[in-house]
Amino acid sequence: MNRTGVDFRVLLVALLAGVVVGCSSTAPGSYVRPPDEGDDEAHASAAGSACVTPENVDGVVEYLAARIQAERDREGLAPLLVNPTLNAVADEYACRMIDGGFFAHVDPETDLSPGQRVLEAGYDFLTVGENLAAGQQTVDEVLQQWMSSEGHRENILGANWRETGISVRMGGEYGVYWVQVFADPIQLESAPSALWAVTGP
């Protein structure tokens, strides 16, 4: 103990415990931040339902990917590779739901399913899956809801998936839209710059 009666070893343990328990609330990518007020996208969002890219989108996507991989690691599942084509498919569909005013796996305007959207992007696969969520402001919220839902949990813990794409966008009725596409490609891309492995936090 020091002169104030505080045992700094106990205080340090308590602080570390707080970081472990509360890391999701303090991590830079744990919550979705709207664009800077001076950003044109911010004004578009305020004016209506336009699709907007969060200010910290990269951090949020990377953090969600890492949290999902942590769930897979606990089950001894292989790491997912983040594929830029699947990311683009997820981004486009998040905006489609916002701009089109719907929330569904099948686009009511085009009738395209997740698999058809992926094929149209030029990605050949054996199987495809998709998780959607809307309204959640943090990675913790969306992951908790997905893991509490049998179908979404099965996708996250699917042993056959080898690649994924993730998007988060703001706007529309629910404020925040989340899309994750899972795929088992016919052939993994050979270019090392096209893929990067997700590791747990």
Side-chain angles (χ1 to χ4, degrees), residues 112-128:
L112 294 179
S113 67
Q116 291 168 317
R117 291 192 295 274
V118 170
L119 282 174
E120 282 207 344
Y123 182 102
D124 296 322
F125 60 87
L126 298 172
T127 54
V128 159

Side-chain angles (χ1 to χ4, degrees), residues 178-198:
W178 307 78
V179 179
Q180 182 169 18
V181 180
F182 302 86
D184 181 14
I186 290 176
Q187 184 173 357
L188 286 169
E189 292 184 25
S190 58
S193 61
L195 303 171
W196 46 277
V198 175

Side-chain angles (χ1 to χ4, degrees), residues 35-68:
D36 186 19
E37 288 300 320
D39 193 303
D40 289 341
E41 282 189 316
H43 295 301
S45 179
S49 62
C51 180
V52 174
T53 302
E55 177 189 340
N56 60 334
V57 64
D58 292 340
V60 171
V61 167
E62 289 174 15
Y63 186 57
L64 177 56
R67 292 290 306 279
I68 285 169

